[in-house]
Each structure stands twice: as structure tokens, then as C-alpha cells.
Amino acid sequence: MEIDRRAFFAGLGGVAAVAAMADEAKAEALEHHMMLQLNVANQTSPAAKFPTAAEVEAEIETRPTRRGTGNLFVSRAGNVKKLPPLPERPTLVDFYKLRFMATSTHCLQSANRAVQNGMSEEIVLACLLHDTVQDLIKVDHGWWGAQMYEPYVSEKVSFAIRYHQALRFYEDKEHGYEYPDLYRRMFGSDYKPEPYIEATYKMVRNHKWYLEPRMVTVNDLYAFDPNVNPALDQFLDIIGRNFKQPKEGLGFDNSPVAHMWRSIARPDSPL
Ligand SMILES: [Fe+2]
Ligand SMILES: [Fe+2]
């Protein structure tokens, strides 16, 4: 595909802004830009801003990988790279720095926004963790993510992570959530969530903890912002108070989800 470099750089805030971006962020931005162009090229009507759900579905067979695949298992440009080794007893911070490369900036930006909006520590932690499982797997990431974190966080935090996935599709302007354009692009302009998502939404909408996952969606970022790069260090106290780090290390504590952490630690193991 032809890339209009000027348009691409301008969309990211200019050449200097692009130069300051990490390689992974650049690759992500480029993919997003190409996805947009592809969508525009595929549209039947040039006036339409977003593809239809049918057009999105037609793109399945144009890709070498499925859209639900975890980021760690796919390279956006060229071949995959060797991963740095993790310490013997890896902590959440080790995973964050050495494995959550594709999701960390987005999650840090969301957590940073949650702090600025005066959210509770549990919501800030939920924002910090909410999409990290997408490095392992993307499909149904709310459920996968909640399961992976469940042994180590409070019930409210895992509730927020699990259900942010369903709430994203439903507006709640009263609490500051509008349906994002990004989803019109990703799922199609006429996309209808699956019945299980609709049923989950109805359940959560009436739950006493509704605002926990809702606030994850409110503080989620749907636009790429190259100018905000919060550091993990500012969240170390919140992690220390709210994340029960197993002394054996994540992946080695015999918890029911230890294999998920090992899969992130060793994604190159063939079986
Ligand atoms: Fe998410
Ligand atoms: Fe997100």
C-alpha cells in the first residue's frame, strides 16, 4: 500500500513528535494509519467515513493473522524479535516493562487520566491493567484479562477489567462515555454487539459496581496521543498496595492462571 508520509506524520503531530515515539508506538501508529487508508479504499461510497460491518468482515481474508491474536505473537513489521529474559521470580513490573510492550503506553495513559480525574486506587489499577492481556490474546480480552489478574487483585478490580469490554459498546453520556469513532472503524459503522455482550451489559448496568468498569471505559483512550508518556514509576505505590505479588514470581505460584503468565513469559515455546 502507498503511504502518504506527509499525511501520516502530520496526523501524529509532526516529524519531531514522531521522532520522540518508541518504535512499537510508531509501528502501531503506522498500522492504524494503514488500516484507515485501507478502510477508506474499501468503502463502496467515498462519502462514507467508516466501513460497514460486512466490509470489516470481508477484510478477514486479506490478513495473514486473525484479529484476535495476541500482540506478542505477531510482528507488525518484519520478523518477530528475541525477547529479553525475565528474572527468575518475575513481578508485575517486570512483565509490564519486558512483555507488555504493545499495550503499556495505552494502559499507562488511561491510568494517568484516571488519576487526573480523581479516581479511586482500584479504578486506577484497573485502568493500568485493563488491556495488558492483549499481548497474550485480544479476543474477549475483558474476560481473559480479569481471569489472569483475579488471584492478585480485589474483586472490584477484576470486575472492572472483565466488564469494561462489554460497556465500551454502550454510551453513558451522564457519566461521560460516548461511543468511540475508533469502534466504528474497527467493528464497522453498523456493528451490533453479540447477544452475550448485550446480556452482560444489562447485568452490569444494574449491578452495584456498575461504575467500576464504566470508569475504565471513561478513562480509556481511543485516540493515539503521542504527547503523553506517563512512566510506570508513578504507579508503583498503587501497585504495591493493591497487587498481591506472589513470592514465587508470576507463572510459578501454582495458581490456576500461572500458565497464562508463563505463556506471556515464553511465547516462543512451540508446545
Ligand atoms: Fe479494552
Ligand atoms: Fe483500552
Side-chain angles (χ1 to χ4, degrees), residues 70-73 81-86 90-92 94-103 129 131-138 144-145 147-149 152 250-252 257-269:
N71 294 308
L72 268 178
F73 298 86
K81 297 272 179 325
K82 259 192 169 182
L83 289 163
L86 284 162
T91 64
L92 174 65
D94 294 321
F95 275 91
Y96 221 97
K97 291 186 171 163
L98 302 173
R99 290 296 182 275
F100 297 158
M101 278 86 83
T103 54
L129 307 179
D131 283 338
T132 51
V133 83
Q134 290 189 29
D135 278 312
L136 176 65
I137 184 161
K138 287 185 184 170
W144 281 96
Q147 185 181 3
M148 186 171 92
Y149 285 114
Y152 316 110
L250 290 162
F252 305 104
V257 302
H259 63 288
M260 294 173 78
W261 292 93
R262 290 196 304 270
S263 300
I264 298 174
R266 309 162 60 240
D268 295 296
S269 310

Side-chain angles (χ1 to χ4, degrees), residues 43-236:
Q43 277 156 18
T44 42
S45 145
K49 204 172 160 202
F50 303 109
T52 63
E55 283 164 342
V56 171
E57 199 184 319
E59 285 175 16
I60 290 174
E61 298 196 356
T62 69
R63 294 190 175 89
T65 51
R66 298 192 187 279
R67 293 171 92 198
T69 313
N71 294 308
L72 268 178
F73 298 86
V74 185
S75 167
R76 289 199 171 90
N79 292 338
V80 293
K81 297 272 179 325
K82 259 192 169 182
L83 289 163
L86 284 162
E88 219 174 300
R89 287 185 273 278
T91 64
L92 174 65
V93 170
D94 294 321
F95 275 91
Y96 221 97
K97 291 186 171 163
L98 302 173
R99 290 296 182 275
F100 297 158
M101 278 86 83
T103 54
S104 56
T105 305
H106 166 73
C107 289
L108 282 165
Q109 288 184 347
S110 300
N112 186 50
R113 193 166 165 189
V115 169
Q116 285 169 356
N117 287 334
M119 298 287 123
S120 68
E121 288 203 351
E122 282 173 308
I123 290 173
V124 173
L125 183 66
C127 288
L128 191 66
L129 307 179
H130 79 286
D131 283 338
T132 51
V133 83
Q134 290 189 29
D135 278 312
L136 176 65
I137 184 161
K138 287 185 184 170
V139 54
D140 260 333
H141 73 285
W143 275 272
W144 281 96
Q147 185 181 3
M148 186 171 92
Y149 285 114
E150 219 146 37
Y152 316 110
V153 298
S154 72
E155 243 181 283
K156 256 190 197 171
V157 172
S158 60
F159 187 92
I161 296 172
R162 177 169 286 115
Y163 296 122
H164 89 275
Q165 180 194 334
L167 296 198
R168 301 173 304 167
F169 296 113
Y170 302 90
E171 286 202 330
D172 180 352
K173 287 190 179 149
E174 193 197 326
H175 290 106
Y177 184 73
E178 283 186 43
Y179 190 83
D181 272 355
L182 179 67
Y183 290 167
R184 295 194 172 92
R185 220 172 272 142
M186 279 176 76
F187 296 94
S189 53
D190 54 345
Y191 176 74
K192 291 262 172 308
E194 302 276 330
Y196 79 95
I197 294 285
E198 177 84 27
T200 299
Y201 165 68
K202 285 187 181 146
M203 182 280 284
V204 178
R205 189 74 187 83
N206 294 310
H207 196 283
K208 62 180 176 189
W209 287 350
Y210 166 67
L211 283 179
E212 306 291 318
R214 175 49 79 202
M215 286 303 128
V216 174
T217 69
V218 167
N219 291 286
D220 211 337
L221 271 108
Y222 297 99
F224 184 78
D225 188 348
N227 300 313
V228 184
N229 267 319
L232 185 60
D233 288 9
Q234 72 189 71
F235 303 105
L236 293 184

